[in-house]
Amino acid sequence: MSADLDPPRSASSSLYIGLMSGTSLDGVDGVLASLPADGSAMATLATAYVPFPDDLRAALMALQASGENELQREAMAANQLVVYYAQCVAELLEKSAIPAAYIRAVGVHGQTIRHRPELGYTRQTNNPSLLAELCGIDVIADFRSRDVAAGGQGAPLVPAFHQAVFGNEEQARVAVNIGGISNISILPAGTQEATSGFDTGPGNVLMDAWIARHQGRSYDADGAWGASGKPDAALLAALRNEAYFALPPPKSTGRDLFHIEWLDAQLAAPAHVHLSPADVQATLTAFTAGTIADAILRHAPQTGAVYVCGGGAYNAYLLRLLEETLSAGAGRAIPVLSTETLGIAPNHVEALAFAWLAQRFCLRLPGNLPAVTGARGLRVLGGLYPAQ
Ligand SMILES: Nc1ncnc2c1ncn2[C@@H]1O[C@H](COP(=O)(O)OP(=O)(O)O)[C@@H](O)[C@H]1O
Ligand SMILES: [Mg+2]
């Protein structure tokens, strides 16, 4: 144990854990990070990823829509989910050789099963009390509800963090998180103009569902299957006709809208039934790329570079289409790069954001950006489940 660590459970500890499991339902990403309160150099000390077993993934998928006995099913799925969260925490502590008592808090997103801010609620299923019990660390959870209570979308929450780590004095940038759903953070040069951001629409969610149906695989590694097909202009136009894309920000979306039945309804049209599964996958990839590019061209035309995080950053075909569409639309080259080039691996960014949001809670600092979520004002986000 290094001598300069804070004493156990010190209110001055700067060690935080962030846990993120998103709409892809693939598993939980975790980071253990040192986040000095003065905002000086943050450091990632350990990372871990725990995939979900098929039965948990199926249970969470089934909870995306209402069904019989869903209260009990939700509670049981939350308890099972937390076992994997706790395993992720244990791996982080083991890898870093830091005891639980030195961690100030765990920030945990939970698993979104409904997102209906227009009805005044968003539900990230979770059992933070059980997580506190299993890992003996203060847990901060339910980050989105307070923003919704203040009239906001409760999403996206990561733009403030993206600004803190990817913002640049001289260059206007956009950070894109391509998880199940995709969201952008618009980061103007310097700090004069406000950061903004919104959900652009589907990220990997439709591509994942399509390859699962046709090849039994959970995702299209590197986009290789999509790249073997050819995007179909007519299907692409039909998909892009969805009303969500014309809505002005602030806006957020999820599996409530973009699910396989939504895709099936589009594919049922006579104009599209002849398409091969690979051509549909290519079109879905172009759809994700095109809706992201369109959002950037419309709302951040000055951007000098685009940095991509989330699992979609590992889809080479998607990134190529994004760069091509963006550059063609702008009439100039706009580089599309992985956040790895700025020092944070794409699959660690969102988990680190929840470690950062936990710190914001502990310091009683706001975590939302009203310009992004549409909330009435800045709010401290999350609820505390103490270790003891
Ligand atoms: N090597 C890869 N090639 C293509 N896609 C990938 C790769 N690795 C991960 N992905 C995609 O990223 C998704 C997971 O991304 P993630 O950022 O964890 O999303 P979420 O936050 O929704 O869980 C996977 O479901 C898959 O679609
Ligand atoms: Mg994930």
Side-chain angles (χ1 to χ4, degrees):
M1 178 57 50
S2 99
D4 57 4
L5 277 178
D6 297 303
R9 230 164 252 138
S10 157
S12 63
S13 169
S14 61
L15 299 177
Y16 293 86
I17 285 174
L19 299 178
M20 177 65 197
S21 58
T23 41
S24 298
L25 302 174
D26 57 312
V28 53
D29 290 292
V31 298
L32 192 164
S34 166
L35 305 176
D38 62 6
S40 62
M42 56 177 72
T44 297
L45 305 180
T47 65
Y49 173 70
V50 180
F52 295 153
D54 289 345
D55 63 335
L56 175 57
R57 185 193 283 232
L60 293 169
M61 188 71 89
L63 286 165
Q64 305 289 325
S66 56
E68 203 192 326
N69 200 19
E70 65 188 289
L71 283 180
Q72 164 135 332
R73 287 191 289 116
E74 188 205 339
M76 299 307 287
N79 286 354
Q80 190 187 357
L81 178 69
V82 164
V83 171
Y84 294 90
Y85 287 167
Q87 189 183 324
C88 193
V89 170
E91 280 185 28
L92 291 168
L93 297 176
E94 195 186 316
K95 284 184 182 173
S96 61
I98 294 172
Y102 287 82
I103 308 296
R104 177 82 182 270
V106 178
V108 57
H109 176 264
Q111 196 65 51
T112 299
I113 53 168
R114 276 335 126 73
H115 182 66
R116 303 297 300 274
E118 72 282 7
L119 298 180
Y121 80 93
T122 179
R123 185 67 81 225
Q124 284 71 52
T125 195
N126 195 359
N127 186 344
S129 296
L130 179 59
L131 185 58
E133 185 67 26
L134 292 177
C135 61
I137 305 172
D138 281 4
V139 173
I140 319 297
D142 190 23
F143 289 92
R144 299 192 189 275
S145 290
R146 183 60 191 271
D147 186 85
V148 172
Q153 293 282 311
L157 294 182
V158 290
F161 175 74
H162 286 166
Q163 174 64 54
V165 293
F166 302 137
N168 184 266
E169 274 304 312
E170 273 95 48
Q171 186 184 45
R173 295 175 170 175
V174 168
V176 187
N177 171 40
I178 311 180
I181 296 295
S182 167
N183 59 274
I184 61 169
S185 300
I186 298 169
L187 315 172
T191 49
Q192 272 74 12
E193 286 173 71
T195 299
S196 58
F198 55 91
D199 287 352
T200 59
N204 299 294
V205 67
L206 299 172
M207 294 187 277
D208 284 359
W210 191 249
I211 199 168
R213 177 187 286 176
H214 287 276
Q215 302 201 344
R217 291 189 281 151
S218 55
Y219 63 86
D220 185 6
D222 299 332
W225 188 43
S228 76
K230 190 173 171 300
D232 179 78
L235 176 59
L236 191 55
L239 298 176
R240 293 187 58 160
N241 214 20
E242 165 61 45
Y244 181 79
F245 301 112
L247 289 176
K251 59 178 177 176
S252 58
T253 188
R255 281 184 183 271
D256 309 62
L257 174 58
F258 295 108
H259 42 58
I260 187 92
E261 292 79 15
W262 178 88
L263 175 62
D264 284 338
Q266 312 273 350
L267 289 173
H272 313 312
V273 287
H274 69 283
L275 293 172
S276 73
D279 286 348
V280 172
Q281 187 73 353
T283 310
L284 292 174
T285 315
F287 177 47
T288 293
T291 47
I292 294 170
D294 194 43
I296 294 172
L297 292 169
R298 249 198 279 172
H299 298 281
Q302 307 303 329
T303 194
V306 172
Y307 291 91
V308 183
C309 62
Y314 299 102
N315 184 326
Y317 179 49
L318 175 63
L319 261 49
R320 176 157 62 83
L321 289 181
L322 177 56
E323 189 167 72
E324 283 173 9
T325 318
L326 205 49
S327 300
R332 66 188 166 94
I334 300 181
V336 173
L337 304 158
S338 160
T339 56
E340 188 87 62
T341 60
L342 295 178
I344 308 180
N347 51 340
H348 301 152
V349 173
E350 304 306 286
L352 197 52
F354 280 85
W356 185 84
L357 283 165
Q359 181 191 39
R360 303 291 291 181
F361 175 93
C362 291
L363 302 177
R364 296 301 186 272
L365 292 170
N368 65 340
L369 290 176
V372 173
T373 64
R376 281 186 287 277
L378 294 165
R379 295 290 184 273
V380 176
L381 306 179
L384 169 64
Y385 296 77
Q388 286 165 331

